[in-house]
Amino acid sequence: MSEESLEDKVERLELYITLLRQIAVEPEEYRLWDWVIANQLNVDQYNSIKQILKTCTRAHFAAEKDPSVRTPSLDELIDELIPVLSPNPRIAHKKGVLELLRNAAKMTPYLSLKKYF
């Protein structure tokens, strides 16, 4: 991870405190947040991941109502998430994204991601 400013570090740590509060309440459901902290993702990466997962989940719900709605394939989702994770070479690959998605699929808002597994 590149050298981050003190301000960025404080912002990241504040995010982690918020995520830890959720993890303390329901550790199994919030495994994605633990993964975010363990891999030292920053606020921008966190927000990008949430937005991508939200868009994908919305597409799945829309497709349930209207089968003509296209949902992203697993490969498309992987291709979209790898650049978000790219500052960290340990997770910026297919295996890292699959780990992210498995953890996300345990969270109530992202249960529709289980369709990929």
Side-chain angles (χ1 to χ4, degrees):
M1 195 168 218
S2 64
E3 194 64 34
E4 65 183 326
S5 70
L6 183 57
E7 183 178 315
D8 289 343
K9 186 176 274 191
V10 168
E11 184 178 32
R12 183 171 51 86
L13 293 173
E14 286 174 343
L15 168 66
Y16 293 175
I17 290 169
T18 301
L19 299 180
L20 284 168
R21 291 179 69 200
Q22 292 177 354
I23 292 168
V25 173
E26 191 66 50
E28 191 59 30
E29 179 169 348
Y30 293 104
R31 284 182 53 183
L32 177 60
W33 297 164
D34 181 56
W35 187 87
V36 165
I37 293 168
N39 288 291
Q40 300 180 340
L41 301 187
N42 63 37
V43 174
D44 292 335
Q45 289 171 300
Y46 166 78
N47 288 331
S48 294
I49 289 167
K50 280 181 48 179
Q51 185 58 48
I52 291 167
L53 296 180
K54 181 194 238 180
T55 300
C56 181
T57 301
R58 285 183 176 168
H60 284 286
F61 286 129
E64 287 177 6
K65 294 178 182 177
D66 179 1
S68 68
V69 173
R70 188 183 171 291
T71 59
S73 70
L74 179 58
D75 287 334
E76 290 170 329
L77 195 52
I78 289 169
D79 290 345
E80 191 171 1
L81 286 165
I82 285 176
V84 174
L85 304 176
S86 66
N88 187 336
R90 289 183 310 115
I91 57 173
H93 48 72
K94 183 176 181 174
K95 185 177 177 185
V97 171
L98 292 175
E99 189 177 336
L100 180 159
L101 293 173
R102 282 189 191 96
N103 286 316
K106 295 177 189 283
M107 296 179 69
T108 303
Y110 308 126
L111 290 175
S112 68
L113 298 175
K114 289 182 179 183
K115 294 176 182 179
Y116 293 115
F117 302 103

